[in-house]
Amino acid sequence: MHTVAVAHRVSIICGCVVVSFLVACHGLLDASDPTLVRDPDIATAAGADARRQATVAAMIGATQSTVIDVSMISDERGWDQSAQFPLGFDLAFLDRRDGASYERVHGSDDPHLGALDWIVSKSSIAITNVRAYTPEPSRREYLGQLYAYRGWAISQMAEDICPGFPINDVSPDARPIYSTPYTTDSAATYAVRMLDTALAYAHDSTGILHYASVVKGRTLLNLGRYAEAAAAVATVPTSFQYLLAGEAGNMFGQYGPDWTYSGFPLGDREGHNGLPYLSVGDTIRVPRVLRGHRVSDTTALEYDQAKYPDYTIPIVLASGIEARLIEAEVSLHDNGGTDWLDRLNALRTVIGLDTLSDPGTPATRVDLLFQERAFWLWLTGRRLGDMRRLIRNYGRDPETVFPTGQYPLGGQYGNATAIPFVFAVEHEFNPNITTGCTTP
Amino acid sequence: MTLGSRIGWREIVAILAIAGWVGRGEAQGTVATSELSHLTDTADALLRRPVTLSLDQVPLGTAIRAVARRAGVIILYRHEVIDTSSRLVTLDAMKTSLGDVMNRVLSSTRFQFVSLPGGQFSVVPGDIDRTQANGGIEGTIVDGKTQQPLRGVTVTLDDSLKRTRTDTRGKFQFTGVTAGPHRLTARYVGYTRLIQDVTVRDDVTATVTLVLHATGHVLDQVVVTATGEQRIRELPHIVSVIHADSVVRSAPITDVAELLQSRVPGLQVVNSNGGVAGAPIALRLRGQTSLSLNSEPIVIVDGVRYRSTALDQNQAQDVRGGGPASSPLNDLNVNDIETVEVVKGPSASTLYGPEASNGVIVITTKRGKAGPTQWHWHARPVSSTVPQDRVYPKTYAVWSHDPNDPTRVPLSWQCDLVSQYKYHACVVDSVTPATSVSTNPQFALLGKNRPTWQYGLDVGGGSPTLRYFLSGNYDRQVGAIQVAPALISMYKRDLGLSTVSEAVRNPNTLQNIGTHGTVAADPSPKLSLSATTDYSQHTHHRLLTNRYFGAARQNFLPPGATGSLSDSATVRYLRGVYFTPFSAFQTTEAHTSRFTGIVSMSATPSEWLSARGDAGIDVGNDASHTALPGGLLGSSDPGAVEDDRRANTGRTMNAGVTARLRSGSVSFSTAVGVQYIYSNTDGINTSGTNLAPGSSSIGTARTIYTSPVWVEAITLGSYVQEQLGFNDRLFLDGALRVDGSSRFGDKYHPTPLPKLGASWILSDEPWLRGRLPGVRDLKLRAAYGAATRYPTSFMKLGSIGSSIVTVNGQTYSTFDRTVLTNPDLRPERSREIEYGADAVLFSRVNTSIAWYNRRTLDELKQWDNPTGIAAIWRNSASVAQHGFEATVDIPLFDTRGIHSDVRYMFSYNRNKILSLGDEPSTIGYVSRLRGYPTDAIFGVRTTVVDTVGGGPDGIVFPEELGHTSPYTFMGVYNPPYVSTVTPSLSFWHDQIRVTTVFDHETGFLIHDDFSAFCMQAQTCPQAFNSSTPILLQAKYQANNFYDWLEPGDFTRWREIGITMTIPQRFLQLKPLHVGFSHASFSLQGRNLAIWTKYKGPDPEAHVDPWIIGSNASGIPLPHAWSFRFDITP
C-alpha cells in the first residue's frame, strides 16, 4: 500500500501542477485575426467617412424599398393574376391591405421598418465617429447630411408605419438600444428635431440645407403645423432636386423599380378609390410602357412603369416642386383664395400641361391638390403619407381613400392604412414592445 | 497439448520410471463411470474441457483433486510431495479450460501438468533451470468465428514487460524466454482479452494457437480511450467499435462516411446530393446538439486531431463558390483504417476537450506487424446509377384551345381550373402523359453506370522491434451529372467551338491519390515509438447541382417536337429548359493536398506506471478555380472567375501518464494528461469579371474583388482521472478537466468540468451467480459529464464589415458594423447523464442499451435585431435532449458449416427548447419556440370553402382559399427514430459470407418537391382536372410550402456484400507459378432499393447536409454495384 499511496500522491500533485499551469498561462492562448476590423483600427477621419458612406448605402436601400412598399399599399400599383407570387407573397398582402398576413409572412424580418431603422442606427455610429475624427469644415457638412438622413428616415417611418413602432438605435460602443413605442406624431416630432439639427449643421451646404428643409416641411405638414411647414420650404428654389441613385443591380434586385418581374403593373383606379394614373394619360409625370394583355382578361392592357427604366436612375428624395406643393397645400388650408391653384398651375405650365380649374368645393379642391401631389411625386414613396394625411388632417374615411371592396385575386381588400411593423420580431428582441400596431 | 509442454512417449516412460510415482499413484477425485468416456478423447480435447470452480486458500493437493473432480479426468500425482507443498490456491474459474485451470493452480510452483497416454494426466516436478532465458514462444492468433488470422493483436508476456504484435498471418514470437510458466495476454480492439498460461522449457520454443472472440465476452473487449487502452468492463459509457479492415473488404464502402453509416446506433451520416462525386457529408451523434454552433463530432486519428469538416467548427458557412467541397474526413483512405471507435456521451468532452462535446470518432490506422514482408493488393470497380423514377416524376400535358379564338394553336400551358372555370380562357381537349425530355438518353443530365475505380497496394512487415507498413491508393469517381453528347454538339455548333474540355462534358469528378506509412519501434521492452505519415492529393471538379436540377425535371417536349437535334422545336425547347451555356461551361476545379504526420510514444517504466505522448501536424492546401471564359457567348460576354486559396494548419500535442496499481481486490488507476490543439485557416478568395476574350484567368479580369479568410483557434486543456476497481467487478471513476481557449481571450476564467461514472459487472457478483438464468456478463453503467462549447471570437467581438457602395455614380468604401459586440458572452454549458446495461442473454444474444438525458444551458443564439440593429450573439436558450439506443446481436444458427446471425440497432433522439430568453408570446413563422424541438416546423395548411357561385360547385376559386391560423407545430425535420437491421449468413465455414444492411427512419417531415414543382409547372393532372377533390385542388392553387410537407419515413436496402474467400487449395497454382496466401472477392451493392410513401425525390438526399431539413431538388442516392478483389501474395 505504501507504493500505492506514493503513486497517488505523485499523480494528484502532477495533475494540480498541470491544471495550475494551464490556468496561469493565458499567453499560450493568444490568437490573432488579421482580417478582423476593430473599432480602434478605423478611428480616423477616413474611417469615419467610411462609416458615413455606410449610412448613405442604407439610404439607397431604404429609399428604394420605400418606393416599392408605398406603391403597393397605396394605389400606385395595380394587381394581376400573372404575378409570380399571386398568393402568400408579402407585396400581394400589402396590395390587398391585408396587414395581418403581411406581418405573418414576415415572421423573421421587418423589411420596411428595418430598412428605415438601419439609417437611424448607422447614422448614430457615423455621427459619433464624424464628431470625433472628421476635421472641419467637412465635419459640419457631414453631420448635417447624417442628421438629415436620420430625420428623413424617422419622418418616413411616421408616414408609413402603423403607430406603436420602435425606432431602435445603437450606442457608440455598439450595444443595442431598444426603443419604446412611437406614435405617428411623436415620431414626426422626433424627425423634426433631427432635421432642425441637420439645418443647424448644414448651413454651409446648400444641397443638404434644402433637402432637410423640404423633409421638415413635409413632416410639419403631417403634424398639422401648416404655417411652420410653409416657412420651412420657403427658401427652397423650385428647380432644386436632391437625388440618390445606387449601382446597377446593387440594391433593386428582383422587386426593384423595374418591377416587370414582380407582376404588379401600374394601378388605375385600384379598388374604386384609386387615382386614374393611366386613364388621365399624363405620360410626362407617369411614364409607362405597354406590358401586354392581362392574363385573366385578354381585352385589357397592362402597363409597367417607365420612370425608372434602369437601376441607375436616381430617386428624387426632395425637390423644389415638393416645396411648392407644400406651400399650395398650406395655402389651401389657410383659405388663400386661388393661390393654391396658381401654384399648382405654375408647376404644370413648366412641363407643358394644361392648367387646372377650381373644382369649386373644399373637398374637391383637396382631392385635386392631392391628385396633383400624387402625380408629381409618383413612385417616390410619398403617396401613403398623403393618404394618411387625408384621413388624419382632413377627416376622410379610410374606405374613401384606400382601395376597397372585392380584391380581384380573391377575397376583399383589408383595412390596413399603414404598413404594419412585425410585432413578433420586435417582441422577440425588444422588451419595450409589448403590443402590435395600435389604431392608425 | 496447448500448454506447450507436449510430452512424448519417451518422456512418459521416463516420468513413469520415477520411483514410486505411478506404482503408488492414486486417481484423486471421484470419477463416475459414465464420465470416463473421456478415455476415448484426445488429450487436447480433454485439456479444452471447461471447468467451473471457485477455491479460496486451499492446499495444492486439495485444489488438484477438486479440479480433477470437476473436469472428470484422472490426474496422477505423488501426494506426499504435493500435499506438503506450502502453496495455497485461490482460484475463480468460469468455464475455463482444464489446461488453463491447472496452469493457474500450479503457477509459482515447481510442478508441471502433463498428459499421459490413455487420457490421463499427471503433475510432475519441474526439473528445468529457470535462470536460463533460452526458451521461446511462438503462436498464431485467429478469429474465433472465421478462423482467419488476426493481425495487429497486441500480445503481452508476463505483465507488460514484453510485448509484440501479430503479423499479417496472425503470428507472433517471443525469444529469450526463461523456462517455466508464463502468462500471455492477447488484446485486440473489439475482441475479448485472452489470458493464456504457457510453460516454457529450456531450449524449446512453445507453440500455441490463441483464439480471440469478437463477440461473446464483450466486457473484455479492449478499446482505445484518451487515457490508453481499457476494457469495456471498466467503462461507464458506450464505445462502439467498427473493425474497418474486415468491413471494408466485404461491404460496399468507398469512403469513411460510408464506413460509418449504419454501423453505430445514434450516429447519423447525412448525405448531400446523391450521385455527386465528392459531395459533402455531415455527421450527427445523438442529433443536433446546439442551436447555433457546429454539431459535428471531432475526429481523432492515431491520437491526433484530424480536420474533418470543410468548415471551422464554429464557422457558419463556407464561402467558397463553385459547389460544395468534399468532406475532409474522406481525405483519409478507408483502406488504411484498422478500427473506428465512436465515443458518445458525457465522457467525450471531459477527456477529449470542449470541441468534443458533440462526440468523438477515434480512428486507428493500420500499423506494421512483425514477420515476413507481406504484400496486399485490392481493386474495386464500382458502377452507380441514380434511379430515374425518383428524379423524373410522371408528368402530364394538357391540350386545350381558346374558345374565343379557335384559330390559335393548342395551348399546353396554364389551362388550370381557374383559367377554365373562372376566366373561361381555355377549354381542355385532352390530357396526355408526358415524358420528361431529361430521360431521353441523348439529352440526359444524369448518366447511367457512372464508374468509380479504386486500387490499393500495401506492404508491411519487420522484426519484433522494428515494424513498418506502407500503402498507396488511387481512386477516381465520376459523378452522375453529365452534359450529354447531343447538348455538347448543340453548344459547339451554337458557339462555334471545335472542342470542349472533359471538365465540361463531365463536370463532376473526384480523383484521389494517397500514401500512408507507419514505422513502429520497440527499442526496449518498456518503450514503444511510432511515426505515421499520411499524404493525400485530390483533384475535384465540383458543381452546384441545383444549377442543373429544378423545375426542368417537370418539363416535356412541345407539340410536334421530334426529340432530335435536327428539329428546331426540340432545340428551341432544350435551350429554354436546360441549363444554358453559361452554366454548362462554368467549371470548378479544386486541388487539395494534405499531409498528416504523427509521432507517438508510449512507455512503461514500471509495471504500474505508463506514459504516452502524441504530437502531430495536419497541414493542407486547398485551391479552387471556378471559371467561365470571357467572350464565350459573344464579344461582350464578360466571363467570370473565382479563385480560392486556403492553407490549413493543425497541430496537436497530447501527453498523459497513467498509474495502475492493485492492492488486494482493489485496483487504482490515475491518469493525468494535457492537450494542446491549434488550428488555423489562412486564405483568400478572389473573384473577377470582365475577362479578356477566351481567358479564364483572373489575371485578365478588369474587375476584381478579394476577401481574406482567417480562422485561428487554440485550445489548451488538462485532465485528471481517477478510477477505482473492486474485485474486477465494480469500477468507479471520476475526472476533472480544465480548458482554456483563444476563442475567449483573456477575460475568460476556465471552469473545471467534472465527470463521474460507475460500471458494475453484476453477473460476476458471487451472491448472484446462478440466480440469473440465461443472463451472463450483465453490466450496469451510469455516467455523468459536463461540457462546454465555445463561441467564436466573432460572436463576442462582433464584426465590422467593409464594402463598396456606388452613390450617384461614384464609388466609396464603407465600414459597417454587421454584428454588435457582447463582452458578456459565455460558453454553452451542457450536462449529460447516461444510463445503460450490457448483457449476454441465453449465452448467445449480446445486448447493449443506453438512455441519455442532456441539458444544454446558455445556448448561443443570434438575435437578429431586424429593425435597424445589427445582430448580436447572446446566451439565451436552453435545450433538453433525451434518447435511447440499443444494439442486439442474435446468432440464429450455426450448424454444418452454415452460420447466420443478425444485428439490430435502434436509436431514438428528441429534444425540446426549454427557454429562448425573452421569447415571443405568439407563434409565428419563427421555427424555434419554447416547448418545441429545435428542428420544429411551424406552418399553416391551406383550407377551402367552396361557396363562390352560391354553393358548392366542385371547383376551387382563389377567393375560396384560406389557411389555418395561427401557425401550428407540424413536425420535425430530422428523423427521431432510426433502426438498422444487419443479417448475415455464411457457408462453408465462412468461406462465403453474405451480409446485408437495411435502414429504417421514421417520424420526420420532408418537403415534396415533385408535387410543388408539378403545381408550379402545371404538369400534374390535379391542376386541370375538375374531378380532383376540393382540398387537393386548393393545395395545387395555394402555392403554400407547408401543404407539401409529408412524412419522409423510409426503409432503404442500404448494403449487400457477398464475399468469397478462395480456399487455400486453389491459391497455389503451381503449374502457373502463381501462389497467394490469401485471396477473396466480394460482390457489393449499395442503396439498392427504397420503400417509402414519400412522393418526392429521396428523403435522404439533402442539398445542404449541414441543414438537415433542406431537400429542395436533392438528387437521389444512386444504386451502386461493385466488385472487390483482395489478394495477398
Side-chain angles (χ1 to χ4, degrees):
Chain A
M1 279 304 288
H2 178 70
T3 307
V4 173
V6 170
H8 275 264
R9 282 175 196 158
V10 169
S11 301
I12 291 168
I13 290 169
C14 287
C16 293
V17 168
V18 168
V19 170
S20 305
F21 169 76
L22 293 179
V23 172
C25 294
H26 289 305
L28 291 172
L29 301 175
D30 289 344
S32 61
D33 189 346
T35 67
L36 201 63
V37 178
R38 298 169 192 257
D39 288 315
D41 302 332
I42 54 175
T44 61
D49 197 44
R51 304 241 199 204
R52 181 177 67 93
Q53 294 299 348
T55 309
V56 177
M59 273 294 287
I60 292 173
T63 52
Q64 292 169 349
S65 68
T66 295
V67 168
I68 296 167
D69 291 346
V70 166
S71 71
M72 290 308 305
I73 194 169
S74 69
D75 55 359
E76 291 182 321
R77 293 169 83 179
W79 53 270
D80 194 278
Q81 71 164 46
S82 64
Q84 282 190 338
F85 305 94
L87 292 172
F89 180 46
D90 58 342
L91 290 184
F93 289 133
L94 271 189
D95 190 47
R96 200 164 60 174
R97 298 175 58 205
D98 182 355
S101 295
Y102 172 83
E103 191 179 342
R104 175 171 56 79
V105 298
H106 282 297
S108 59
D109 66 339
D110 193 338
H112 194 67
L113 176 61
L116 294 168
D117 210 353
W118 278 122
I119 299 165
V120 175
S121 59
K122 290 177 194 298
S123 64
S124 280
I125 293 176
I127 287 169
T128 302
N129 283 268
V130 167
R131 276 193 208 280
Y133 307 112
T134 304
E136 292 291 6
S138 299
R139 190 169 76 92
R140 294 183 64 82
E141 180 188 343
Y142 291 171
L143 287 174
Q145 179 194 23
L146 290 167
Y147 276 107
Y149 286 177
R150 194 175 168 87
W152 174 86
I154 297 170
S155 176
Q156 194 73 45
M157 287 184 203
E159 282 192 6
D160 297 349
I161 313 294
C162 64
F165 62 89
I167 305 175
N168 295 318
D169 210 340
V170 176
S171 69
D173 62 344
R175 309 290 292 267
I177 301 172
Y178 295 110
S179 160
T180 53
Y182 276 81
T183 63
T184 300
D185 284 350
S186 65
T189 304
Y190 183 9
V192 170
R193 199 164 65 244
M194 293 296 101
L195 293 162
D196 282 339
T197 308
L199 292 167
Y201 278 113
H203 58 79
D204 292 334
S205 175
T206 308
I208 294 296
L209 198 63
H210 293 334
Y211 168 64
S213 298
V214 173
V215 177
K216 181 184 174 186
R218 169 184 160 196
T219 311
L220 290 168
L221 211 56
N222 290 329
L223 283 168
R225 294 156 62 179
Y226 288 93
E228 294 173 73
V233 300
T235 59
V236 179
T238 306
S239 60
F240 168 73
Q241 282 191 320
Y242 192 86
L243 308 175
L244 203 55
E247 184 181 12
N250 188 32
M251 294 291 175
F252 286 82
Q254 189 176 11
Y255 310 116
D258 181 16
W259 43 47
T260 54
Y261 290 110
S262 61
F264 291 91
L266 264 64
D268 192 49
R269 302 184 193 282
E270 183 188 5
H272 308 295
N273 297 321
L275 295 176
Y277 293 102
L278 284 173
S279 307
V280 166
D282 182 350
T283 58
I284 298 174
R285 293 182 296 179
V286 185
R288 79 288 304 270
V289 60
L290 181 64
R291 172 194 280 189
H293 288 274
R294 181 173 291 169
V295 169
S296 57
D297 180 2
T298 54
T299 63
L301 298 177
E302 288 183 335
Y303 292 84
D304 290 323
Q305 63 84 24
K307 187 168 188 173
Y308 303 103
D310 68 57
Y311 299 117
T312 60
I313 301 299
I315 294 173
V316 180
L317 294 188
S319 66
I321 292 175
E322 187 175 1
R324 301 292 88 78
L325 290 170
I326 291 170
E327 291 169 344
E329 186 171 344
V330 172
S331 179
L332 179 63
H333 179 269
D334 294 344
N335 288 321
T338 60
D339 177 68
W340 67 275
L341 191 60
D342 295 341
R343 289 178 184 272
L344 296 182
N345 284 330
L347 294 174
R348 291 173 64 92
T349 304
V350 172
I351 58 171
L353 292 176
D354 295 339
T355 56
L356 300 168
S357 303
D358 187 347
T361 66
T364 52
R365 286 172 182 156
V366 169
D367 288 342
L368 181 61
L369 178 106
F370 273 78
Q371 178 165 321
E372 279 297 286
R373 280 186 61 87
F375 275 65
W376 278 113
L377 303 175
W378 183 60
L379 294 183
T380 58
R382 310 291 204 284
R383 180 62 179 155
L384 178 57
D386 285 359
M387 294 166 89
R388 291 186 68 204
R389 195 163 67 255
L390 279 170
I391 298 167
R392 285 163 39 84
N393 296 14
Y394 296 90
R396 299 287 178 91
D397 182 346
E399 295 308 303
T400 65
V401 175
F402 282 87
T404 189
Q406 186 174 0
Y407 188 66
L409 295 184
Q412 300 287 317
Y413 277 99
N415 58 2
T417 55
I419 298 173
F421 72 94
V422 182
F423 169 71
V425 172
E426 286 304 324
H427 184 53
E428 182 173 6
F429 300 107
N430 187 345
N432 301 318
I433 300 298
T434 55
T435 58
C437 290
T438 56
T439 304
Chain B
M1 185 170 179
T2 57
L3 299 185
S5 52
R6 185 174 292 278
I7 307 298
W9 275 107
R10 207 170 283 172
E11 291 163 292
I12 294 299
V13 172
I15 291 168
L16 295 176
I18 298 172
W21 272 84
V22 176
R24 284 177 287 155
E26 298 173 21
Q28 303 295 332
T30 304
V31 181
T33 307
S34 61
E35 294 177 335
L36 293 177
S37 59
H38 67 264
L39 293 175
T40 59
D41 294 344
T42 65
D44 283 350
L46 290 173
L47 282 168
R48 289 197 296 270
R49 176 166 289 186
V51 175
T52 299
L53 185 63
S54 181
L55 301 172
D56 189 12
Q57 297 289 302
V58 301
L60 182 59
T62 304
I64 294 173
R65 286 193 292 276
V67 172
R69 189 163 51 244
R70 285 295 173 90
V73 298
I74 297 171
I75 302 176
L76 302 175
Y77 66 91
R78 193 168 175 175
H79 63 80
E80 61 268 33
V81 177
I82 296 291
D83 287 346
T84 56
S85 167
S86 60
R87 163 90 159 127
L88 294 176
V89 176
T90 296
L91 182 69
D92 197 1
M94 174 70 78
K95 293 186 177 180
T96 310
S97 70
L98 171 63
D100 288 348
V101 170
M102 283 306 298
N103 273 320
R104 282 202 234 171
V105 168
L106 297 176
S107 64
S108 304
T109 71
R110 60 187 183 86
F111 300 106
Q112 288 189 71
F113 185 57
V114 298
S115 66
L116 303 175
Q120 297 187 23
F121 299 90
S122 179
V123 175
V124 299
D127 55 356
I128 300 164
D129 180 0
R130 297 177 182 226
T131 63
Q132 296 295 316
N134 50 7
I137 302 173
E138 64 179 24
T140 305
I141 298 182
V142 298
D143 183 298
K145 182 182 285 186
T146 66
Q147 299 300 312
Q148 294 297 308
L150 292 172
R151 70 175 180 181
V153 180
T154 302
V155 187
T156 308
L157 179 65
D158 296 335
D159 298 332
S160 303
L161 292 178
K162 277 192 169 184
R163 285 186 298 172
T164 187
R165 287 177 185 260
T166 56
D167 63 14
T168 52
R169 297 168 300 169
K171 294 190 178 302
F172 69 93
Q173 186 178 32
F174 290 105
T175 57
V177 181
T178 58
H182 292 275
R183 173 166 290 185
L184 293 175
T185 303
R187 290 189 182 89
Y188 191 43
V189 172
Y191 283 75
T192 303
R193 182 184 63 157
L194 179 67
I195 298 175
Q196 179 80 54
D197 289 331
V198 180
T199 299
V200 174
R201 299 177 63 212
D202 200 15
D203 288 332
V204 175
T205 297
T207 303
V208 294
T209 298
L210 305 180
V211 181
L212 293 189
H213 294 277
T215 59
H217 301 279
V218 177
L219 299 182
D220 287 323
Q221 286 185 9
V222 177
V223 296
V224 180
T225 71
T227 59
E229 291 184 346
Q230 276 191 284
R231 291 178 297 161
I232 283 181
R233 70 165 53 222
E234 300 170 3
L235 298 177
H237 57 270
I238 281 186
V239 174
S240 302
V241 181
I242 301 170
H243 297 282
D245 189 34
S246 57
V247 172
V248 165
R249 293 183 186 220
S250 58
I253 290 169
T254 302
D255 51 35
V256 178
E258 292 182 348
L259 173 66
L260 295 174
Q261 189 161 39
S262 309
R263 281 174 240 286
V264 176
L267 173 60
Q268 188 185 7
V269 178
V270 185
N271 299 286
S272 65
N273 273 313
V276 176
I281 54 106
L283 303 178
R284 294 286 179 272
L285 267 175
R286 293 183 171 170
Q288 187 89 11
T289 56
S290 175
L291 290 175
S292 307
L293 299 177
N294 194 311
S295 287
E296 288 283 303
I298 63 167
V299 175
I300 305 290
V301 175
D302 294 331
V304 168
R305 179 74 177 274
Y306 192 80
R307 189 172 60 91
S308 56
T309 68
L311 317 172
D312 174 68
Q313 279 293 308
N314 292 317
Q315 193 175 326
Q317 61 182 359
D318 195 349
V319 300
R320 279 177 284 187
S326 60
S327 172
L329 179 62
N330 289 331
D331 291 347
L332 201 61
N333 180 18
V334 74
N335 291 283
D336 292 330
I337 297 174
E338 190 84 45
T339 60
V340 178
E341 294 172 21
V342 179
V343 184
K344 297 170 281 189
S347 71
S349 58
T350 307
L351 296 182
Y352 288 96
E355 290 177 341
S357 56
N358 303 321
V360 186
I361 294 174
V362 180
I363 294 176
T364 303
T365 62
K366 292 176 181 174
R367 299 299 177 97
K369 314 296 187 305
T373 299
Q374 288 285 308
W375 294 85
H376 169 252
W377 176 82
H378 75 265
R380 182 168 177 263
V382 187
S383 172
S384 60
T385 300
V386 172
Q388 298 277 315
D389 61 336
R390 300 211 73 85
V391 181
Y392 305 112
K394 287 181 181 174
T395 55
Y396 296 84
V398 57
W399 309 110
S400 61
H401 68 271
D402 184 345
N404 302 315
D405 185 3
T407 63
R408 291 181 64 182
V409 296
L411 303 171
S412 62
W413 194 252
Q414 289 191 334
C415 191
D416 58 11
L417 293 173
V418 175
S419 300
Q420 293 175 48
Y421 293 95
K422 183 176 176 66
Y423 300 115
H424 307 288
C426 56
V427 174
V428 172
D429 299 321
S430 63
V431 176
T432 60
T435 302
S436 169
V437 69
S438 304
T439 58
N440 185 331
Q442 64 173 336
F443 308 124
L445 286 166
L446 290 171
K448 294 183 179 178
N449 302 316
R450 307 295 272 176
T452 292
W453 286 93
Q454 294 185 293
Y455 304 97
L457 178 69
D458 63 66
V459 58
S463 68
T465 56
L466 184 64
R467 304 171 298 281
Y468 68 93
F469 176 84
L470 184 65
S471 72
N473 70 286
Y474 170 81
D475 303 349
R476 178 175 164 77
Q477 300 178 47
V478 178
I481 289 180
Q482 65 176 8
V483 179
L487 293 170
I488 290 289
S489 300
M490 188 173 80
Y491 291 140
K492 285 166 62 177
R493 187 184 62 198
D494 288 357
L495 303 175
L497 302 174
S498 58
T499 183
V500 297
S501 68
E502 177 61 20
V504 171
R505 295 176 187 278
N506 288 302
N508 176 220
T509 60
L510 176 65
Q511 178 177 287
N512 303 328
I513 299 173
T515 64
H516 180 85
T518 64
V519 177
D522 294 337
S524 83
K526 296 182 178 180
L527 180 64
S528 294
L529 302 171
S530 70
T532 301
T533 61
D534 192 278
Y535 176 76
S536 59
Q537 185 174 306
H538 308 268
T539 302
H540 187 194
H541 287 93
R542 307 193 310 232
L543 81 170
L544 286 165
T545 53
N546 56 8
R547 219 174 57 205
Y548 295 84
F549 280 87
R553 72 177 72 184
Q554 298 280 340
N555 287 287
F556 46 87
L557 287 174
T562 62
S564 70
L565 275 179
S566 59
D567 170 48
S568 61
T570 298
V571 171
R572 198 166 53 246
Y573 175 78
L574 288 172
R575 288 189 179 126
V577 301
Y578 270 99
F579 47 86
T580 64
F582 174 82
S583 56
F585 283 83
Q586 178 180 319
T587 59
T588 298
E589 183 170 334
H591 295 275
T592 301
S593 58
R594 185 172 186 179
F595 174 81
T596 308
I598 302 165
V599 179
S600 300
M601 176 278 295
S602 65
T604 312
S606 71
E607 291 185 20
W608 59 272
L609 187 66
S610 62
R612 70 213 158 273
D614 308 293
I617 57 171
D618 179 7
V619 294
N621 289 297
D622 299 339
S624 67
H625 177 72
T626 301
L628 177 66
L632 188 66
L633 307 180
S635 59
S636 61
D637 174 22
V641 64
E642 178 181 350
D643 279 356
D644 192 281
R645 303 280 186 275
R646 297 189 186 195
N648 302 298
T649 304
R651 293 193 287 268
T652 304
M653 280 184 278
N654 299 317
V657 178
T658 302
R660 289 192 175 91
L661 295 167
R662 173 178 287 276
S663 176
S665 60
V666 181
S667 63
F668 301 86
S669 175
T670 305
V672 296
V674 59
Q675 290 176 327
Y676 171 82
I677 299 170
Y678 172 88
S679 67
N680 172 245
T681 296
D682 182 8
I684 189 165
N685 183 280
T686 309
S687 59
T689 187
N690 295 318
L691 308 179
S695 169
S696 61
S697 168
I698 201 160
T700 66
R702 280 176 285 147
T703 307
I704 293 179
Y705 299 95
T706 62
S707 60
V709 180
W710 178 272
V711 181
E712 185 177 50
I714 308 168
T715 301
L716 185 60
S718 67
Y719 61 84
V720 179
Q721 179 176 267
E722 179 69 36
Q723 184 180 75
L724 301 178
F726 301 94
N727 296 311
D728 210 31
R729 295 193 290 267
L730 175 64
F731 301 90
L732 304 175
D733 70 20
L736 203 62
R737 183 180 177 102
V738 180
D739 285 286
S741 172
S742 63
R743 295 187 190 280
F744 248 69
D746 55 9
K747 288 185 179 176
Y748 172 63
H749 299 288
T751 303
L753 302 172
K755 170 197 150 191
L756 296 170
S759 171
W760 186 17
I761 317 303
L762 194 61
S763 57
D764 282 3
E765 292 292 347
W767 50 269
L768 202 59
R769 280 197 189 143
R771 297 187 180 181
L772 292 173
V775 178
R776 67 175 172 84
D777 290 356
L778 173 61
K779 170 186 165 183
L780 304 181
R781 49 185 157 71
Y784 163 85
T788 58
R789 202 162 17 198
Y790 294 147
T792 62
S793 54
F794 156 81
M795 291 175 173
K796 184 177 179 180
L797 301 174
S799 69
I800 298 173
S802 179
S803 61
I804 305 294
V805 60
T806 300
V807 183
N808 295 336
Q810 302 285 318
T811 58
Y812 303 93
S813 295
T814 71
F815 278 131
D816 192 11
R817 180 160 279 284
T818 53
V819 179
L820 301 181
T821 59
N822 185 353
D824 304 323
L825 216 59
R826 305 181 299 277
E828 292 186 352
R829 298 176 292 130
S830 62
R831 301 191 299 261
E832 185 168 348
I833 298 177
E834 177 182 310
Y835 313 92
D838 306 302
V840 178
L841 306 177
F842 313 112
S843 303
R844 298 163 58 85
V845 179
N846 280 323
T847 61
S848 176
I849 54 178
W851 294 266
Y852 58 89
N853 275 289
R854 184 184 181 111
R855 180 74 58 93
T856 308
L857 306 172
D858 288 339
E859 285 232 24
L860 292 157
K861 183 168 176 282
Q862 178 171 305
W863 289 43
D864 291 325
N865 289 330
T867 53
I869 300 180
I872 189 169
W873 286 91
R874 289 186 172 170
N875 297 95
S876 57
S878 63
V879 175
Q881 185 182 11
H882 68 277
F884 172 76
E885 293 163 358
T887 303
V888 183
D889 288 297
I890 308 171
L892 299 178
F893 56 86
D894 188 359
T895 178
R896 300 184 180 183
I898 303 176
H899 173 83
S900 177
D901 55 53
V902 62
R903 162 170 285 199
Y904 174 73
M905 296 189 303
F906 172 79
S907 67
Y908 163 75
N909 180 285
R910 289 305 288 264
N911 65 59
K912 185 170 73 174
I913 296 174
L914 298 178
S915 73
L916 278 171
D918 297 326
E919 62 190 275
S921 57
T922 56
I923 296 176
Y925 187 74
V926 181
S927 62
R928 284 172 172 166
L929 288 180
R930 184 170 64 85
Y932 292 94
T934 56
D935 57 346
I937 305 170
F938 296 92
V940 294
R941 296 278 189 189
T942 296
T943 59
V944 60
V945 180
D946 186 14
T947 56
V948 171
D953 57 8
I955 305 297
V956 173
F957 293 97
E959 53 268 38
E960 295 172 334
L961 295 175
H963 56 74
T964 58
S965 183
Y967 275 54
T968 53
F969 174 66
M970 301 178 72
V972 295
Y973 278 128
N974 301 313
Y977 303 96
V978 178
S979 50
T980 298
V981 180
T982 309
S984 64
L985 179 67
S986 65
F987 305 92
W988 295 327
H989 301 283
D990 227 42
Q991 296 290 309
I992 297 178
R993 185 170 183 82
V994 181
T995 301
T996 188
V997 178
F998 295 90
D999 282 336
H1000 181 62
E1001 298 185 4
T1002 61
F1004 65 107
L1005 297 178
I1006 196 162
H1007 193 245
D1008 175 8
D1009 292 330
F1010 279 178
S1011 296
F1013 277 131
C1014 169
M1015 172 201 65
Q1016 290 167 3
Q1018 298 187 21
T1019 54
C1020 36
Q1022 294 88 344
F1024 32 74
N1025 188 343
S1026 60
S1027 63
T1028 301
I1030 290 289
L1031 192 56
L1032 199 53
Q1033 285 185 40
K1035 287 175 65 175
Y1036 277 94
Q1037 284 194 25
N1039 196 6
N1040 176 14
F1041 173 88
Y1042 301 101
D1043 284 338
W1044 306 107
L1045 284 167
E1046 59 178 79
D1049 302 0
F1050 70 90
T1051 299
R1052 187 183 289 278
W1053 186 6
R1054 178 81 64 194
E1055 294 181 1
I1056 186 170
I1058 305 170
T1059 305
M1060 179 174 183
T1061 303
I1062 309 299
Q1064 285 290 323
R1065 63 180 180 275
F1066 297 130
L1067 296 180
Q1068 303 298 324
L1069 303 176
K1070 290 183 177 174
L1072 300 176
H1073 303 286
V1074 174
F1076 301 120
S1077 63
H1078 175 86
S1080 66
F1081 72 86
S1082 180
L1083 172 64
Q1084 305 160 346
R1086 187 169 193 86
N1087 300 324
L1088 299 179
I1090 185 168
W1091 296 271
T1092 179
K1093 292 181 180 176
Y1094 171 61
K1095 296 188 286 291
D1098 187 328
E1100 267 199 302
H1102 304 279
V1103 172
D1104 182 352
W1106 312 101
I1107 306 169
I1108 298 180
S1110 71
N1111 194 47
S1113 302
I1115 301 176
L1117 304 185
H1119 305 317
W1121 282 102
S1122 56
F1123 280 101
R1124 180 175 168 119
F1125 304 90
D1126 284 90
I1127 294 171
T1128 303

